[in-house]
Every structure is written in C-alpha cells, then in structure tokens.
C-alpha cells in the first residue's frame, strides 16, 4: 500500500448514509458476465481475438505490459488510460470465453492495482495530486465490476477498494471538483475528455450503489452528483447540445462550438442524459436520450452504422472517417440505451455497427486494425493530402498502432460486450434475446425457473434462428424483431409475428420441459438514399459494398507518432511478426462506379460459414448489379463527393459483398442515369 501527501477530511474516510436515494431502474436486467456463451461464427471471432492482438497485448505491448499501471513507464496520454482500457476488454473477453490464460492476465493486473492502492484510497499509479485525473478510473471500475460479477469470490476485496476510492473521490470533488476540472497545476487534461465524459464515473459507480452499498450510499451518491455538477460547471452539459437548432448539422471544420464534437466523446455522450436521469428522474433527460441519438445519426451517421467523425464530427460524407474506438463505444452505448429504454432502434444500431463498421476495421486474423475507416475506401494507405480533423495521412492503414493507441487498447471490447448484452431479463419470468446472434445460456430467473436456451444461427448471414429451450418451469421468451424485418415473410414456427411497436419484442410462452422454435426473419434488398443522392445497399442487418480488386503490401509496424520509423524488435511480439498493411487498387479507376439498383440480385453461395467470416471474401453472400464507370474526382488520395451517375463507359457486372468483410470498397455510389 502506498502513501501520498494530501489533505483529506474525515468525511472522506467515514460517510454516514441518510435516507438512501434510489436509481431509476433499467427496463431489462443484465445477466452476470460469463452467463452468455457464444456459438458459431461469434465464438470464432472471439477465439480469433484471444489468439490475436487482444489476447497478447499483456505479453508484449508496452502500453499495457509496461504501462505506469503495471510498474512501468509507458503512457501515451496524461489521462493514463491505456491499461484501464485494456482491463475493460480483457475481463469480458476472458470470462465470455472461459479462457484460463486470459483470466490469469486480468487477475495479475487486478492484484497489482489492489495491492498498490494508496493509503488514502486512490487507485492508480499517479504519484502527485496534480496527476490525479478521475477519468481513467471509470474504465478501471468497469473492469472491476465485471470481474466481481463473474467471480463472486473476488467481490469483497474489489468492493472494499472501491468504497475507499469513493470516500477519497468525494473529498476531491468537494474541493472545486479536483480530479475533474483542470487548474493550471494539473497535468491530466488529455483534450478535456474527462469533463466531457463526466458521466462515466457515475455510470460505473451505479453498480456499487445498487449491489454493494455497505451503508455508504450518501458518499457514493454525492460522488455521482458532483461528477455531473462538475461537468456542467465546465460547460459540458449534453442537454444543451442535443437540441434542434444547436446541434451541428454540418461536419468539421464548419462547427463553431467544438465542446461536444469529438466523435468518441459523442459516442459515449449518448448515455449522458440517461445516466443523469437515473439520478434526478427528470423525464426531460429520458426524452433527450432518443432526441440526441436521432440527431447524431441523422446528421453524422454512416451507412455502416457508425458515427462519421475523424476525430471531430464530419457530417455525411462517405469519404470522411469513422474512428474504431467510436464503433465499440457506440455499440456499448446503444446496448445500454436499449436495456434502459427498450427502443428498438437502439438495438438495431448495435447490430448495424457490430456486423458492418466494426469488423471492417480489423484484419481477418484480428492482429491488425485501422484507426479510421471510410464507407468509400478505394485504398487503405498513406495519402498525399490530409482531410481528417485530427488523424493525419496514415489514418486508414491497418496495423498495430496506426494512429493514437487508444484504439489498440480499446477496440477488443466490441464482441465480448456485444455477447454479454445479447440476452437480458424482464420481470420475474422473462428472457429477452435482444442482440440476435448464435449463443447459449443457463440462468435461474427471479421466478425460480431454471432455463437453458440455445440459439443456433448464422445470423446476420442468414435470417433463420433455431432455438432450443429447456426449462424447469414455464417462462416467457421475448425475441427482438429488427425494424428492417419484412413482417409478411417473417414467422415463428410458421406462425405470423406480432412484435411490440416500441421494443420490437415478440413474446412466446414456453412451457416446462424442452421446446424448439424456428424464427425466420424476412429479408429484402433495401436501397437507402444518402448525401448527394448516393445509394447504399442493405439486406437484413448487412450493408453491401462494391468490391475492388487490390494489392496488399506490408512492412514492420511503426510508431503511432512517427509512422516512418519501425518499432524496435523489443516492442514487437516475436511469436507473431507484426506488420502494418496497405491495400491499394489493382486497377486505378475501378472505384469510379455507378450502379443500376433495379438490377440488384442477391446470391447465397451456400456452404458452412468459415472461421474468420469477416475476412476478405469469406461470407458466402453477394449481390450482382449492372454498373458503369463515371467521372469521380480525387485529390492526393482524398476521394471527392459522390458525383452524378452519368456513364462514361459501357455497362458491366459488378459484385457487392458484405461491408464488414471488405478492406477496400465503395459503399455509397451514384445511381446510373
């Protein structure tokens, strides 16, 4: 245990709870981490992640293995967020897969953090009060609470440490929001992300308040309240941003007020009003959750489901970038919002990002990733000119740390948290399949019924899901029907569906014993009109993109802040040579294409899904379309706005593949005229 010279009031050590406040409840309950086990392609993706970069950062990556959190010296930011980001993903990955090797990594890190907790309660490596920023503690606590749920035997020491931290945080925040706001003597600014994301610590501590308060409710509540108050005092009140007439309808650089425009801030800020509503019960905050969500995707939503921001909000141009961190934070936020509010479009968004934007940014073996991706991405390489808000000319290459390392240590949370959120509970005897995917679980409901459900499916590569439910007593199974589903051709055991108009849930009463169900979701080709009258082609939850023949080249991974200099051997992983990759078009003009949407034809090529299904060309699905070449500008590697679809060559057949499996492609193209 470490000590630090600081002035701490007695109130920081002992808090006497008065009449405890209550938090507004979620509509649906969550299951303990590890309850939901992945099957099929989802299990394969998680296995690849464990065998790839995510499962080995602890073994070699300097910002994890040798971060200040583990006794080393490496950090990339005064926020000191790298190891907490890692911990926030390794815990759900390890327990979702029940992987002993990954569990040992998480346990070693947790043991070190708890054993080196400072005498005054601080968690982390910061040696002076000026370094103590609260933001990264949110990520740490997310990991700790997941660990405690997955391993109840460890809960006591985790909870004890958190209460000590809460008592210190209360004293800090009561002193002019110390640790949140940024006097000149502090050096944990990191772009003001801490105060813009002030809701994250309250969100993490709500777990402690509800499950393990230990009579310390007053202090926990005060910390949660002070975090919001401090963010608001610093001008980061998201209620003033999610307003028609205030919210920016154009992208950077045409945004005057830049307080809320950082894309990852926005993807996390989607939860701000709901986390606040849990405390103050102000119905306006609950309403703003949907308002803010809809504004973000109306003006800055990509056809792939992601927010367009590179790093600042970038409008609707398919040539602008979407950061990988933003994809996983959008998935997490939208799943949180669905669990609380139950609006079907929130869950739709989780799936849209998870099956399109997220996998497109990773190599099939999960060793490489992009910092930003584009819907229209005819190449992934260094460009001559820079178009992004704060990324540079290497933003789309694939590699170890193609830009800021935040995405290196954050992106692997995507599929583990998706899996954990895919099933929820409702009432005393209800089980909800909220995020459709192959999985199985066994749980005891509040009614006392022990239930095992197995969902076998190739979804999203198929619209058919087979369920086998075994129950000790009757329960209600709720199946979420996405808004895109064609209801006339959808059915459950050949019977028509009647989903709730708000939640999308179709209820079926399941008796004791074993029951089998087959859900068929009708899918049709949907053509979405985008900016400049471009078209994006969807079927089911998948976006399809025009594929491009390309050449791949690779080179030793480079420093994120010096992309011309290779990382030395000691910064790499010897058992798996790490290579950054460029993908360049084999034919220079093949991306300049318009399509005739009336000629689109869907082809299911059949056969079993292969491991690494999001690898280039792996999904056995495609569309064919009649197309032609068009005049389309580019300047120094920057693709111009979508032109009119006036043909400059003959008609040819082109192929579209699932967007998530492509590395270079055109996802928004003009209609042939």
């Amino acid at each position: 245990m470490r000590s630090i010279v600081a002035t701490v009031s007695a109130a920081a050590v002992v808090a006497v709870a008065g009449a405890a406040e209550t938090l507004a409840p979620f509509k649906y309950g969550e299951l303990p981490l590890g309850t939901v086990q992945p099957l099929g392609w989802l299990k394969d993706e998680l296995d690849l992640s464990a065998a790839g970069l995510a499962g080995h950062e602890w073994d070699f990556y300097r910002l994890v293995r040798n971060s200040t959190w583990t006794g080393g010296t490496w950090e990339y930011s005064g926020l000191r967020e790298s190891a907490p980001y890692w911990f926030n993903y390794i815990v759900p990955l390890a327990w979702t897969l029940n992987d002993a090797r990954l569990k040992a990594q998480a346990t070693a890190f947790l043991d070190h953090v708890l054993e080196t907790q400072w005498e005054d309660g601080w968690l982390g490596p910061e040696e002076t009060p000026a370094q103590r920023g609260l933001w990264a503690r949110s990520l740490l606590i997310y990991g700790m609470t997941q660990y405690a749920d997955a391993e109840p035997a460890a809960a006591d020491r985790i909870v004890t440490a958190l209460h000590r931290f809460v008592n210190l945080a209360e004293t800090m925040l009561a002193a002019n929001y110390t640790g949140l706001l940024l006097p000149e003597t502090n050096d944990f600014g990191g772009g003001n992300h801490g105060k813009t994301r002030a809701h994250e610590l309250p969100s993490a501590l709500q777990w402690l308040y509800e499950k393990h308060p230990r009579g310390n409710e007053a202090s926990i509540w005060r910390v949660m309240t002070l975090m919001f108050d401090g963010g608001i005092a610093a001008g980061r009140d998201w209620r003033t941003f999610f307003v028609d007439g205030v919210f920016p309808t154009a992208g950077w650089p045409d945004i005057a007020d830049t307080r809320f425009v950082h894309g990852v801030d926005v993807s996390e800020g989607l939860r701000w009003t709901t986390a606040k509503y849990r405390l103050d019960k102000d119905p306006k905050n609950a309403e703003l959750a949907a308002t803010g969500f809809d504004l973000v995707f109306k003006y800055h939503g990509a056809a792939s489901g992601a927010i367009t921001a590179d790093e600042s909000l970038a409008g609707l141009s398919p040539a602008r970038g979407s950061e990988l961190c933003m994809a996983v934070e959008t998935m997490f936020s939208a799943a949180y919002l669905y669990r609380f509010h139950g609006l079907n479009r929130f869950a739709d968004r989780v799936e849209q990002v998870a099956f399109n934007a997220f996998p497109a940014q990773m190599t099939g073996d999960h060793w490489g990733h992009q910092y930003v991706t584009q819907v229209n991405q005819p190449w992934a390489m260094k460009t001559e000119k820079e178009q992004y808000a704060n990324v540079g000319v290497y933003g789309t290459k694939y590699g170890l740390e193609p830009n800021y390392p935040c995405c290196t240590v954050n992106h692997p949370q995507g599929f583990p948290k998706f899996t954990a959120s895919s099933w929820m509970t409702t009432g005393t005897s209800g089980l909800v399949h909220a995020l459709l995917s192959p999985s199985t679980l066994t749980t005891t409901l509040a009614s006392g019924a022990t239930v095992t459900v197995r969902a076998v499916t190739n979804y999203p590569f198929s619209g058919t899901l087979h369920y086998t439910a075994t129950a000790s007593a009757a329960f209600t199974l709720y199946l979420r029907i996405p808004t895109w589903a064609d209801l006339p051709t959808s059915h459950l055991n050949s019977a028509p569906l009647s989903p709730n108009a708000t939640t999308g849930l179709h209820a079926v009463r399941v008796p004791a014993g074993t029951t089998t169900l087959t859900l068929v979701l009708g899918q049709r080709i949907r053509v979405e009109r985008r900016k400049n009258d471009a078209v994006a082609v969807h079927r089911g939850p998948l976006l399809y993109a025009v594929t491009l023949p390309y050449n791949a080249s690779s080179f030793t991974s480079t420093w994120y802040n010096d992309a011309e200099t290779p990382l030395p051997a000691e910064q790499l992983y010897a058992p798996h040579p790490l290579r950054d990759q460029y993908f360049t078009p084999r034919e220079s003009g093949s991306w300049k294409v318009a399509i005739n949407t009336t000629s689109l034809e869907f082809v299911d090529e059949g056969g079993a899904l292969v491991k690494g299904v999001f690898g280039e060309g792996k999904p056995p699905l495609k569309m064919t379309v009649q197309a032609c070449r068009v005049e389309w500008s580019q300047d120094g590697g920057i693709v111009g706005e979508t032109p009119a679809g006036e043909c400059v060559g003959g008609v040819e057949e082109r192929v579209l593949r699932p967007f998530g499996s492509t590395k270079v492609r055109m996802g928004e193209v003009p209609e042939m005229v």
Side-chain angles (χ1 to χ4, degrees):
M1 186 176 294
R2 297 176 289 185
S3 63
I4 190 170
V5 178
T7 301
V8 182
S9 71
V13 180
V14 179
V16 181
E21 299 275 2
T22 58
L23 291 166
F26 282 83
K27 187 177 185 69
Y28 305 121
E30 65 180 345
L31 293 162
L33 179 63
T35 301
V36 182
Q37 299 174 336
L39 299 174
W41 71 262
L42 183 57
K43 172 68 159 54
D44 287 345
E45 288 297 301
L46 289 163
D47 283 340
L48 285 167
S49 184
L53 177 63
H56 292 286
E57 290 189 24
W58 177 259
D59 299 323
F60 81 97
Y61 191 46
R62 67 189 186 283
L63 294 170
V64 175
R65 185 66 176 175
N66 295 307
S67 82
T68 60
W69 285 81
T70 55
T73 59
W74 285 97
E75 292 291 342
Y76 64 85
S77 163
L79 295 170
R80 297 177 188 248
E81 64 188 9
S82 57
Y85 264 137
W86 170 86
F87 189 58
N88 186 38
Y89 86 67
I90 201 65
V91 172
L93 180 60
W95 271 266
T96 296
L97 288 176
N98 194 24
D99 187 304
R101 179 177 65 89
L102 302 186
K103 287 181 179 181
Q105 295 178 9
T107 300
F109 178 81
L110 177 66
D111 288 346
H112 178 80
V113 169
L114 295 183
E115 289 165 4
T116 57
Q117 184 173 20
W118 296 82
E119 289 181 1
D120 62 0
W122 182 253
L123 289 164
E126 292 81 0
E127 297 181 355
T128 68
Q131 296 174 326
R132 287 183 165 184
L134 291 167
W135 149 245
R137 281 6 76 169
S138 308
L139 305 172
L140 174 71
I141 294 171
Y142 281 137
M144 292 172 74
T145 56
Q146 292 174 94
Y147 193 109
D149 280 342
E151 291 289 339
D156 181 70
R157 65 183 186 133
I158 289 172
V159 169
T160 297
L162 289 179
H163 278 290
R164 293 180 58 222
F165 169 75
V166 163
N167 293 337
L168 172 64
E170 180 184 13
T171 298
M172 292 173 62
L173 290 164
N176 298 316
Y177 307 113
T178 299
L180 175 61
L181 304 190
L182 306 172
E184 291 182 2
T185 55
N186 286 356
D187 57 7
F188 54 83
N192 293 316
H193 296 305
K195 61 188 180 185
T196 311
R197 306 173 189 178
H199 63 293
E200 293 287 23
L201 186 59
S203 296
L205 291 177
Q206 286 170 3
W207 175 92
L208 186 68
Y209 189 86
E210 291 187 306
K211 293 189 175 183
H212 302 279
R214 291 189 180 178
N216 201 25
E217 289 91 343
S219 288
I220 304 171
W221 193 273
R222 191 172 186 219
V223 169
M224 294 189 293
T225 301
L226 285 170
M227 285 295 293
F228 276 106
D229 290 348
I232 292 168
R236 297 305 196 274
D237 186 341
W238 288 86
R239 294 170 298 186
T240 66
F241 180 63
F242 292 143
V243 178
D244 262 321
V246 174
F247 187 87
T249 59
W252 179 92
D254 299 321
I255 301 176
D257 185 347
T258 60
R259 290 175 299 165
F260 299 97
V261 300
H262 185 270
V264 179
D265 287 352
V266 173
S267 61
E268 296 182 29
L270 293 170
R271 287 180 279 115
W272 193 98
T273 60
T274 299
K276 185 78 164 64
Y277 173 77
R278 295 204 72 201
L279 291 167
D280 65 19
K281 324 298 190 300
D282 184 342
K284 293 180 180 178
N285 288 333
E287 294 167 6
L288 276 174
T291 300
F293 187 91
D294 292 343
L295 285 170
V296 168
F297 292 102
K298 178 179 180 180
Y299 294 110
H300 304 279
S304 62
I307 300 169
T308 306
D310 52 26
E311 294 180 335
S312 297
L313 291 174
L316 296 173
S317 171
R320 294 295 293 272
S322 293
E323 186 183 335
L324 179 54
C325 278
M326 207 160 42
V328 295
E329 296 295 351
T330 299
M331 290 165 61
F332 179 68
S333 289
Y336 174 99
L337 293 175
Y338 183 75
R339 190 163 73 85
F340 190 89
H341 299 282
L343 299 183
N344 201 13
R345 63 185 181 275
F346 294 154
D348 279 345
R349 182 65 57 172
V350 182
E351 292 189 6
Q352 190 180 3
V353 177
F355 304 148
N356 298 287
F358 176 54
Q361 293 186 257
M362 295 181 293
T363 55
D365 62 3
H366 286 249
W367 277 99
H369 64 277
Q370 289 180 295
Y371 191 69
V372 296
T373 196
Q374 301 158 291
V375 171
N376 283 351
Q377 184 172 284
W379 40 76
M381 62 181 188
K382 177 185 177 182
T383 55
E384 295 175 21
K385 293 188 176 181
E386 181 177 350
Q387 69 166 332
Y388 305 119
N390 185 27
V391 176
V393 296
Y394 297 91
T396 59
K397 77 169 181 176
Y398 288 79
L400 171 63
E401 46 182 42
N403 204 277
Y404 298 115
C406 52
C407 290
T408 304
V409 291
N410 187 26
H411 81 270
Q413 70 163 294
F415 279 139
K417 291 191 177 183
F418 174 92
T419 304
S421 298
S422 62
W423 289 88
M424 304 172 183
T425 63
T426 183
T428 60
S429 61
L431 197 58
V432 179
H433 198 188
L435 306 177
L436 305 181
S437 51
S439 57
T440 185
L441 76 157
T442 296
T443 189
T444 299
L445 301 174
S447 64
T450 298
V451 175
T452 296
V453 180
R454 186 177 180 88
V456 177
T457 180
N458 285 341
Y459 183 92
F461 308 101
S462 166
T464 301
L465 298 92
H466 301 283
Y467 294 90
T468 301
T470 302
S472 64
F475 76 103
T476 302
L477 178 63
Y478 294 88
L479 305 177
R480 191 184 69 83
I481 311 303
T483 56
W484 53 256
D486 183 47
L487 289 181
T489 58
S490 301
H491 51 84
L492 182 68
N493 283 6
S494 300
L497 301 176
S498 54
N500 180 278
T502 300
T503 64
L505 298 184
H506 175 84
V508 56
R509 191 65 176 168
V510 179
T514 298
T515 301
T516 59
L517 302 166
T518 297
L519 173 65
V520 175
L521 297 173
Q523 302 183 70
R524 56 183 176 80
I525 295 174
R526 307 186 316 280
V527 176
E528 177 190 8
R529 296 287 168 177
R530 302 283 302 176
K531 183 181 180 184
N532 295 327
D533 209 31
V535 294
V537 179
H538 305 261
R539 186 177 183 273
L542 297 178
L543 171 67
Y544 284 73
V546 177
T547 60
L548 305 173
Y550 65 86
N551 295 314
S553 60
S554 68
F555 47 93
T556 301
S557 294
T558 63
W559 297 91
Y560 80 92
N561 55 357
D562 182 6
E564 298 293 335
T565 302
L567 284 160
E570 64 269 20
Q571 299 292 348
L572 300 173
Y573 185 56
H576 184 95
L578 292 168
R579 308 284 291 176
D580 291 354
Q581 298 182 69
Y582 286 166
F583 298 101
T584 55
R586 194 173 300 158
E587 183 185 345
S588 61
S590 61
W591 60 274
K592 302 178 181 182
V593 62
I595 65 172
N596 176 2
T597 57
T598 64
S599 70
L600 284 162
E601 292 186 7
F602 172 73
V603 179
D604 186 339
E605 298 172 307
L609 299 184
V610 299
K611 188 167 186 176
V613 69
F614 287 107
E616 186 78 34
K618 295 291 184 68
L621 309 175
K622 69 178 182 180
M623 293 186 195
T624 60
V625 69
Q626 295 300 299
C628 70
R629 302 294 176 93
V630 296
E631 295 288 351
W632 201 326
S633 67
Q634 72 94 7
D635 181 19
I638 300 171
V639 176
E641 291 295 325
T642 308
E646 298 178 0
C647 295
V648 295
V651 175
E652 59 186 2
E653 183 176 271
R654 297 295 292 268
V655 173
L656 296 84
R657 294 277 185 181
F659 181 94
S661 69
T662 62
K663 298 299 170 278
V664 290
R665 74 271 161 163
M666 298 299 287
E668 287 185 28
V669 295
E671 180 94 51
M672 285 173 57
V673 295

